[in-house]
Amino acid sequence: MIIPLAFADLNKNFKIVEISEKCKHRKSLIEKGFCIGNIVTIKNSSNGNFIVEVNGSQYVLGFNYAKNILVE
């Protein structure tokens, strides 16, 4: 089942299947490792912000970023 990262469960591994073309920061996300096929995990979430881990690095993403990353 493909869902936006913003609605994924905590502490579960998900594979990135798409980054929306509508996301104006798509290139920046790809440079940080948010590439199709990579595994991403939400470590924590609070007030629409998410701490996520990808390629061994942790990042803070806002809801608007996370909703544009589709995972399965």
Side-chain angles (χ1 to χ4, degrees), residues 25-51:
H25 301 287
R26 187 173 193 264
K27 183 178 177 183
S28 176
L29 287 170
I30 291 170
E31 289 172 354
K32 289 179 173 61
F34 291 87
C35 302
I36 294 171
N38 282 358
I39 302 299
V40 63
T41 306
I42 299 177
K43 295 297 188 178
N44 200 350
S45 68
S46 177
N47 298 324
N49 293 311
F50 302 90
I51 297 174

Side-chain angles (χ1 to χ4, degrees), residues 3-8 42 50 62-63 65-69 71:
I3 59 171
L5 183 61
F7 302 112
I42 299 177
F50 302 90
F63 181 82
Y65 280 79
K67 74 177 183 181
N68 287 305
I69 300 170
V71 297

